[in-house]
Amino acid sequence: MRPEDLTRLFVERSNAGDAAGVAALYEEDAVMAYPPGQLTVGRAAIQALWERVLAHRPQFTPEPPLPTLAADGIALTATPPKDGAGARAQVVRRQPDGSWLRLLDQPEFQRPDGEGEG
């Protein structure tokens, strides 16, 4: 698996309503900056959050990844969102089995001046 694969897997699992599968993409102590203005800390809390979100059956559209920056088993991944969220970025870490998991997830960035909002 490549770091960029996590975004595709996130979309596939979310669209399938699989909150446990989404949470499995995160390290045990991962931090997600979501909902906006809040932090969700830990895989269990991330799963609980996605159980609530996915109960509404949202559909996510795949977004092409921007170039990945990687060094020493850590990578920065990002996508330009189609929903006007500004940007999405994740820090991922290679696991002992060679797979990658999210450590930090910032699914929305907005410019402080509000420019570029859809």
Side-chain angles (χ1 to χ4, degrees):
M1 182 179 350
R2 301 168 309 137
E4 303 82 19
D5 292 335
L6 290 172
T7 297
R8 176 184 52 80
L9 292 168
F10 175 89
V11 169
E12 289 173 2
R13 293 174 184 185
S14 294
N15 287 344
D18 183 4
V22 169
L25 301 173
Y26 292 83
E27 288 194 355
E28 193 62 43
D29 295 321
V31 177
M32 180 180 208
Y34 191 83
Q38 299 178 38
L39 295 179
T40 301
V41 180
R43 185 182 289 154
I46 291 169
Q47 180 172 338
L49 168 70
W50 283 104
E51 287 170 354
R52 291 190 302 276
V53 170
L54 297 178
H56 301 286
R57 303 300 291 166
Q59 288 297 298
F60 294 86
T61 303
E63 298 167 342
L66 295 170
T68 297
L69 178 62
D72 296 326
I74 301 286
L76 174 65
T77 63
T79 58
K82 296 178 181 179
D83 65 3
R88 302 187 204 290
Q90 300 82 33
V91 174
V92 300
R93 184 169 23 207
R94 187 186 331 262
Q95 304 301 300
D97 67 359
S99 67
W100 295 81
L101 293 177
R102 289 179 171 175
L103 175 62
L104 301 172
D105 187 359
Q106 179 80 46
E108 298 182 357
F109 283 98
Q110 292 290 338
R111 290 175 54 150
D113 60 9
E115 285 186 33
E117 291 182 3

